[in-house]
Amino acid sequence: MRSRPGAVAPPGGRDESQAASGPAPRPTTRAVKGVTGGPVRSAPMAGGDRRFDVVVMGAGTAGAAAAWQFASRGRSVALVDRRPAHEAGAHWHNGLLDRHFDEAGIARPEPPERFGESVDNHMFNAYGEHVLTLRGAPTVSTDMALLGARLRDDAVAAGAELVDEAGLVGVELEGRRMTAVTLELGSGAERSTTLGADLFVDASGWRGVLRRRHPDMATWCPLVRGSELCSAV
């Protein structure tokens, strides 16, 4: 069993360490106070070519947080997901650590995002077999759907452009550097657009939509096998 965090694909211009330069941003909003229909939406993206400093693939909690970090530092960001925005990312409860929010400069979850602390976590493998129990884990039980909605709100408020219902159909490489992605927009794929960027962030989770299309990343970050998946209750 193992988990894989979001990975950064080799950029098409300046070094990725420069892309997030500048002072650390401050949290822009508090936790949401109820279920919403999804994040604040930017205007629909027209077909054609666009260029950003950063393109983030995957608008769940990891992708939205990354988009907010870059946008808060003045970078132009496209936050992309294949699903409607309100369906992006995890829709289950997870145990998180408050200190990770503090270190990232993001406001800690509050109710209704936050609903339990120091609970027992029971881990199961992909076959439904119990593996271990963590008793009194120092984690905060968090509604990931609400957290994701809040982080997408923050990213858009900071200037990121949200592009949902956008399926990845191809990438462009110059040598070993990713330089652009091509997306089909809308459920009927009526339109397409190409997004160029200096930096691409793969926050698509186990699907690895960018990682598996880059020759180096596909080797370094192979797709997760079924036997490596686990669940927790």
Side-chain angles (χ1 to χ4, degrees), residues 65-141:
W68 174 74
Q69 294 283 359
F70 285 112
S72 296
R73 290 169 168 83
R75 303 298 180 180
S76 60
V77 181
L79 177 60
V80 182
D81 203 276
R82 64 187 175 89
R83 294 170 290 187
H86 66 279
E87 296 180 5
H91 281 249
W92 55 76
H93 299 159
N94 207 354
L96 306 178
L97 295 172
D98 275 336
R99 65 180 177 85
H100 289 168
F101 290 91
D102 298 340
E103 292 168 359
I106 296 173
R108 294 180 178 186
E110 295 180 357
E113 285 179 18
R114 182 190 194 108
F115 59 89
E117 301 182 35
S118 299
V119 299
D120 293 346
N121 291 318
H122 307 283
M123 307 296 293
F124 297 82
N125 63 20
Y127 308 103
E129 301 166 338
H130 179 258
V131 177
L132 59 90
T133 294
L134 301 175
R135 299 201 179 278
T139 57
V140 175
S141 296

Side-chain angles (χ1 to χ4, degrees), residues 171-180 213-215:
V171 302
E172 296 179 14
L173 301 174
E174 290 184 3
R176 300 162 72 93
R177 293 182 180 272
M178 190 172 293
T179 59
R213 287 175 169 85
H214 189 281

Side-chain angles (χ1 to χ4, degrees), residues 3 16 43 156 210:
S3 60
E16 61 266 36
V156 172
L210 292 184

